[in-house]
Amino acid sequence: MRTLKISIYLLFTFLLLVSKNGLAQVFIPAGGIVYPFRASPAIVKTGTQFHILYNNKAQHQIDSIVLKGPYSRVLLKIDSISKGRFEYDTYTTMYTNNKIWVTVPQGRPQDMYDLMVYAAGEVEISRRSVKLVKQFSPKHSFIHITDTHISRNWVGSADNGFAEELQLMDRFITVANIISPDLVIVTGDLIHDYTRFNKDARGWGGDTIKGYTKLPTIEEKYRNYFEGAQGYRGVQYINAPVFSVPGNHDFYGMNEDDHPAKAAQWNALCGIRVSGLAYAGTRFMFIDDYLGDQEKDIPNKKPMSGLQGKILRNFLALNGPGQLRIMAQHRHDRADTGFLNEQKIGLIVNGHIHTPHVDTLGKTPTIRIRPGVVCRSGENHRWEQILGFFRIIRIDGEKFTYTDPLRFCSNPTDAYNKIKLNLTLTFKSNNAGLATSNVAVIGNKLPVELPGCRVRFVMKKGAYLVSGGRVFQQFNNGKLTIVDVDADVNAGTVKKVSINLKH
């Protein structure tokens, strides 16, 4: 259902985009759930409220709203439903006609959930878009990756293939889920504005296409990035909310200077384009420095003097300055130092250039970093300098530390089934609810200590004792008991975590 609605919506959008000056008058509302959705998930404390931006075209009565996780289901309390025009992009003027406030019951399991809205016998799903937590800890962390370029190179036929970059992404997801950050930030170039078939050994050559009417479509490109394809996982399989910002390649099927159409395409397929996140004392700001225009949205000389700057200032005014302010953007060379100094931005994470880098700018000073790339195709010839890299940023109140670029595997240019991960998790016994005891083994070949690595034991229903780690949470689901354990793993070591039924 979601794919059909998006396709129809995009068709109408492109037909109506006859005049940039007439943009605000001709746009129709977006379809289904717009927030939380894809690029802008939500992190919600149990026992508190959050809002949903929902386009209820026929104004059907909303029957129920549910969060569905892998081992738990949470019925949300609907507090209020407001009807009107709720604009979520001040540049494209895209909006929904319902804003729904819901409350999460206390004590529900912490996990990543699908958001499901039931109305008039149909269900609208926003996959892996809500993370429930019991508290916002002053100590938290995120993983930074960038320039994934999912769908730059295509394997198989146009109508039944997949993005080659998913093979490395899938393997990286295994590593990310062991590290268990509080969130993940991807700083642009999620997909690619052309598709290459029959590439050569370097990831170049072959045939390229660049057009909305040709397969794969823009919907398929973003579906590969978010959901994966052909058995390979997309970023939504990371067990943490993934916040994605636009880059210069994140459009498909229109001219590069058609900024309204590019930004509207993002709205339709990814949701909110510019936003903020308040997490404990940290204020994250996610911006778009490529899709909007350089006059009113992100002016060339002072990017934050335009529409996006107003959004971010309003976010900080509403949520307070916090202790640490972080900006995520794609470009490496376009920072508004006036805004950085005014708001005392402590950190910028960015991409665009694929080599790792660190520098400072402004009076605060603001540290600016990029990690290299985790999976971009076409970089095999210089893989040792840039490929397979990510960073971990750890925050404690107003202070933060960041790792050097970390390579998730030792051989990122090899075939998928030969990739050797630098962080592994194996189980001695079946981990699908058949056992009453088990041993998890974490092998860390990375050159950093990894506090709080996550192990999820799926056991027969019962009460359990754990050694080698701290029980993070434990809950029952039918005949199963889920035990989440945190374990600290030193650099270059192996850590064993055991679980046994209480007698």
Side-chain angles (χ1 to χ4, degrees):
M1 290 298 292
R2 180 75 192 181
T3 302
L4 178 61
K5 290 179 182 178
I6 286 174
S7 299
I8 292 173
Y9 167 73
L10 279 173
L11 175 61
F12 277 109
T13 298
F14 295 141
L15 288 175
L16 291 169
L17 278 172
V18 293
S19 166
K20 294 180 183 179
N21 294 330
L23 181 64
Q25 287 73 39
V26 300
F27 263 153
I28 60 174
I33 301 169
V34 172
Y35 174 82
F37 176 61
R38 282 192 165 176
S40 295
I43 307 177
V44 184
K45 258 171 66 170
T46 58
T48 67
Q49 283 187 322
F50 73 100
H51 75 271
I52 300 165
L53 293 180
Y54 180 66
N55 188 48
N56 190 352
K57 292 180 182 178
Q59 293 293 4
H60 290 303
Q61 178 179 335
I62 295 174
D63 302 317
S64 61
I65 301 178
V66 171
L67 297 179
K68 183 178 181 297
Y71 298 102
S72 54
R73 184 180 178 93
V74 181
L75 177 65
L76 302 180
K77 178 179 178 290
I78 301 175
D79 298 315
S80 66
I81 301 174
S82 300
K83 298 178 181 180
R85 188 181 190 280
F86 303 99
E87 187 176 279
Y88 62 90
D89 194 310
T90 55
Y91 175 63
T92 64
T93 70
M94 297 289 274
Y95 65 96
T96 64
N97 60 10
N98 279 193
K99 187 174 186 178
I100 308 168
W101 282 96
V102 294
T103 295
V104 181
Q106 287 277 11
R108 296 305 186 264
Q110 300 188 84
D111 220 330
M112 286 298 304
Y113 289 86
D114 295 342
L115 173 64
M116 308 172 74
V117 177
Y118 291 85
E122 294 187 358
V123 58
E124 191 77 34
I125 302 174
S126 179
R127 301 188 186 281
R128 306 274 292 178
S129 63
V130 179
K131 174 68 179 287
L132 291 189
V133 298
K134 292 180 181 176
Q135 64 178 352
F136 296 125
S137 172
K139 292 185 178 182
H140 46 279
S141 67
F142 69 94
I143 283 177
H144 176 209
I145 63 173
T146 193
D147 293 74
T148 55
H149 289 266
I150 301 294
S151 79
R152 176 188 181 271
N153 286 359
W154 201 255
V155 179
S157 64
D159 60 346
N160 191 32
F162 67 94
E164 178 189 48
E165 298 81 7
L166 283 176
Q167 294 183 325
L168 280 179
M169 175 60 75
D170 178 90
R171 303 297 281 142
F172 165 73
I173 289 169
T174 297
V175 170
N177 284 341
I178 300 170
I179 295 171
S180 189
D182 293 284
L183 62 147
V184 174
I185 298 176
V186 189
T187 49
D189 283 1
L190 320 179
I191 62 164
H192 209 78
D193 60 310
Y194 67 74
T195 312
R196 184 185 305 275
F197 292 86
N198 305 313
K199 48 88 177 178
D200 60 26
R202 295 176 70 246
W204 295 85
D207 306 306
T208 60
I209 64 166
K210 193 171 187 177
Y212 183 74
T213 60
K214 297 180 180 180
L215 298 176
T217 63
I218 181 65
E219 294 97 332
E220 185 66 17
K221 282 173 166 280
Y222 275 121
R223 192 177 304 113
N224 271 243
Y225 170 77
F226 286 108
E227 300 177 19
Q230 303 286 347
Y232 300 109
R233 296 171 292 179
V235 297
Q236 288 182 331
Y237 282 87
I238 297 175
N239 291 328
V242 179
F243 293 83
S244 304
V245 303
N248 57 302
H249 288 291
D250 288 316
F251 70 96
Y252 192 62
M254 68 277 293
N255 293 331
E256 192 168 346
D257 62 353
D258 194 347
H259 298 287
K262 289 163 61 177
Q265 187 182 75
W266 177 277
N267 288 157
L269 289 170
C270 301
I272 293 176
R273 193 172 53 97
V274 181
S275 65
L277 168 69
Y279 191 101
T282 307
R283 303 294 178 261
F284 294 94
M285 289 164 280
F286 307 104
I287 71 170
D288 161 29
D289 51 14
Y290 268 105
L291 301 185
D293 69 33
Q294 283 75 51
E295 295 180 5
K296 62 179 182 179
D297 193 39
I298 37 173
N300 257 328
K301 293 185 178 179
K302 294 183 178 180
M304 293 300 104
S305 66
L307 294 175
Q308 293 192 35
K310 292 180 181 179
I311 293 172
L312 299 181
R313 285 186 173 90
N314 288 341
F315 159 73
L316 291 172
L318 180 64
N319 292 277
Q323 296 173 282
L324 174 65
R325 288 153 298 285
I326 297 174
M327 290 184 71
Q329 65 183 60
H330 182 61
R331 288 183 66 159
H332 66 296
D333 60 351
R334 193 164 180 246
D336 189 331
T337 53
F339 182 85
L340 300 182
N341 295 335
E342 170 193 292
Q343 301 297 334
K344 294 182 171 57
I345 306 299
L347 175 66
I348 292 178
V349 291
N350 70 271
H352 193 49
I353 301 299
H354 301 153
T355 51
H357 186 73
V358 179
D359 63 10
T360 59
L361 65 164
K363 297 178 180 179
T364 302
T366 303
I367 293 177
R368 178 170 55 182
I369 61 175
R370 59 179 187 260
V373 293
V374 74
C375 67
R376 184 189 188 273
S377 58
E379 299 291 11
N380 286 5
H381 60 295
R382 53 175 187 157
W383 71 270
E384 290 180 300
Q385 288 76 42
I386 69 164
L387 187 58
F389 283 128
F390 68 100
R391 286 189 198 267
I392 306 172
I393 294 86
R394 301 194 184 278
I395 299 165
D396 186 358
E398 64 182 6
K399 299 178 181 179
F400 66 91
T401 60
Y402 55 90
T403 66
D404 289 334
L406 303 172
R407 179 166 277 131
F408 77 91
C409 67
S410 61
N411 54 339
T413 61
D414 279 4
Y416 172 81
N417 59 359
K418 295 182 179 179
I419 291 174
K420 298 177 180 178
L421 299 182
N422 286 327
L423 181 64
T424 58
L425 170 61
T426 57
F427 293 91
K428 183 178 179 180
S429 302
N430 176 283
N431 195 43
L434 301 177
T436 56
S437 65
N438 210 338
V439 177
V441 180
I442 303 172
N444 180 19
K445 294 182 180 179
L446 295 171
V448 294
E449 295 184 357
L450 296 175
C453 287
R454 182 64 48 82
V455 178
R456 168 162 282 186
F457 289 106
V458 182
M459 312 297 292
K460 283 186 178 180
K461 190 173 181 180
Y464 288 88
L465 292 173
V466 170
S467 61
R470 302 174 297 278
V471 175
F472 173 74
Q473 70 175 351
Q474 181 170 310
F475 60 94
N476 295 326
N477 175 27
K479 297 181 179 180
L480 301 177
T481 292
I482 311 302
V483 184
D484 288 332
V485 179
D486 287 345
D488 300 334
V489 186
N490 292 329
T493 64
V494 174
K495 183 67 173 283
K496 292 184 179 181
V497 182
S498 300
I499 185 169
N500 291 282
L501 190 67
K502 286 183 180 178
H503 295 294

